[in-house]
Amino acid sequence: MKVTNQNLQIDGIDKEILRALMEDARTPILEIARNVGISGAAIHQRLRKLEKSELISGSKFIINPKALGYTTMAFVGIYLDKAMSNPEAVKQLQKIPEVLECHYTTGNWSIFIKILCKDNEHLMHLLNKEIQSISGVSRTETFVSLQQQIDRQIKI
């Protein structure tokens, strides 16, 4: 089965390459080539095609936050006074390093963020002193994650 998205076409070999790299981005190209049954040059060529199509947007090392003392993950729904406050509020949230993700949402909140803190005291400080003090923020609603159960990318 081929996956198509306008100019993008990926076949079974592309999927095998992607799955291998999604599992471990440090897998040597020649190892993937041996497993797939094509040359290393062909793997490089296919990867360039996938990068150019923007299906692959990069690779990164993943830091274990617990090793740095960050043990409290929370999600915060942010209520804003008015929709006009959105861009400025996001600009201020970008200045807070503990904010990992920020989304405009439908429903009750204007903005929904994911934050990582060292502990509950750190979380309380962020909420009271940094997030709720942003101009336009009327109130917040916080959900503390007890344990992450699923962590994955979209299936290829």
Side-chain angles (χ1 to χ4, degrees):
M1 175 181 150
K2 285 192 176 189
V3 176
T4 33
N5 179 3
Q6 293 172 343
N7 300 333
L8 175 64
Q9 287 195 348
I10 62 173
D11 59 20
I13 293 173
D14 290 331
K15 288 180 183 181
E16 284 186 59
I17 295 166
L18 289 169
R19 285 184 193 122
L21 291 172
M22 286 170 66
E23 189 172 316
D24 183 358
R26 294 182 296 178
T27 305
I29 296 299
L30 291 178
E31 181 181 322
I32 296 170
R34 275 192 303 276
N35 293 339
V36 174
I38 62 175
S39 71
I43 299 280
H44 280 291
Q45 187 177 35
R46 284 172 176 265
L47 285 172
R48 277 195 301 278
K49 172 191 79 168
L50 295 169
E51 287 170 354
K52 189 174 179 184
S53 75
E54 296 181 350
L55 177 65
I56 297 175
S57 62
S59 61
K60 59 185 173 183
F61 286 99
I62 299 168
I63 302 294
N64 176 0
K66 288 180 181 171
L68 297 173
Y70 288 85
T71 59
T72 301
M73 177 74 68
F75 299 88
V76 182
I78 300 175
Y79 295 85
L80 296 176
D81 293 335
K82 28 184 149 6
M84 290 171 34
S85 304
N86 281 3
E88 186 55 37
V90 170
K91 207 180 287 183
Q92 295 305 310
L93 288 166
Q94 284 177 326
K95 295 178 182 176
I96 303 170
E98 294 88 348
V99 175
L100 304 180
E101 295 181 19
C102 179
H103 303 265
Y104 288 133
T105 63
T106 60
N108 293 329
W109 312 294
S110 303
I111 297 173
F112 196 69
I113 62 172
K114 176 180 175 181
I115 59 177
L116 186 59
C117 305
K118 294 198 175 218
D119 51 31
N120 286 347
E121 190 176 321
H122 184 199
L123 171 61
M124 195 167 80
H125 169 80
L126 280 176
L127 289 170
N128 294 336
K129 303 292 183 201
E130 299 200 39
I131 295 169
Q132 291 172 353
S133 68
I134 293 172
S135 178
V137 171
S138 59
R139 65 188 177 103
T140 60
E141 194 170 337
T142 304
F143 306 89
V144 175
S145 171
L146 299 176
Q147 185 179 49
Q148 184 175 354
Q149 297 294 303
I150 299 172
D151 181 15
R152 63 179 172 209
Q153 294 190 64
I154 195 74
K155 187 177 178 182
I156 297 287

